[in-house]
Amino acid sequence: MPDAALKPAHFYILLALSRDDRHGLAIARDVQALSDGRIRLWPATLYGSLEDLRGRRWIQEVSDHPADESERKRYYRLTRAGRQALEAEAEHMSRVARLARSRVGPRTGEAG
């Protein structure tokens, strides 16, 4: 069973890779867009996170690059285990969101 409660940066990196292979800068841009600007990955954080995710075997570096891209760019792909971790975290977040929505209404006697 994949770990729950991923670091936010890890969750968004996996989400960024869920549709297509991407290089580091494209991942960082996608993470910023997907998180509505709440998460900005500076190079040290980005590449440290990518190494951590590779170590968990949730992503892999791929050698096939698009023809119009530089050979120097490193591309990453989500693995099956990474997709399972992403799905598990998304389900966990959904349960927490449902719980939060059920509790955010005003309490009886609460001042408005």
Side-chain angles (χ1 to χ4, degrees):
M1 181 80 169
D3 294 338
L6 297 174
K7 294 177 183 178
H10 289 183
F11 174 79
Y12 280 104
I13 290 169
L14 295 177
L15 188 59
L17 291 170
S18 65
R19 299 252 169 136
D20 296 307
D21 299 347
R22 298 194 187 285
H23 59 80
L25 183 57
I27 292 169
R29 287 178 180 157
D30 206 20
V31 164
Q32 190 169 2
L34 289 167
S35 69
D36 295 326
R38 291 180 180 205
I39 297 180
R40 188 168 183 171
L41 297 175
W42 299 102
T45 303
L46 171 64
Y47 290 103
S49 293
L50 291 171
E51 285 304 310
D52 190 26
L53 293 170
R54 280 183 62 202
R56 292 173 181 239
R57 297 195 168 142
W58 288 351
I59 66 170
Q60 63 186 22
E61 190 172 338
V62 293
S63 57
D64 50 326
H65 295 86
D68 59 337
E69 289 289 340
S70 167
E71 288 292 320
R72 295 175 54 201
K73 290 182 180 176
R74 292 168 37 190
Y75 277 76
Y76 300 90
R77 175 177 295 154
L78 191 63
T79 64
R80 182 175 290 125
R83 188 166 302 279
Q84 290 171 345
L86 177 61
E87 288 171 354
E89 184 65 4
E91 182 56 37
H92 170 75
M93 292 170 77
S94 179
R95 286 191 307 270
V96 170
R98 282 192 303 272
L99 176 63
R101 281 191 297 273
S102 75
R103 292 184 173 212
V104 295
R107 291 177 39 184
T108 305
E110 187 173 53

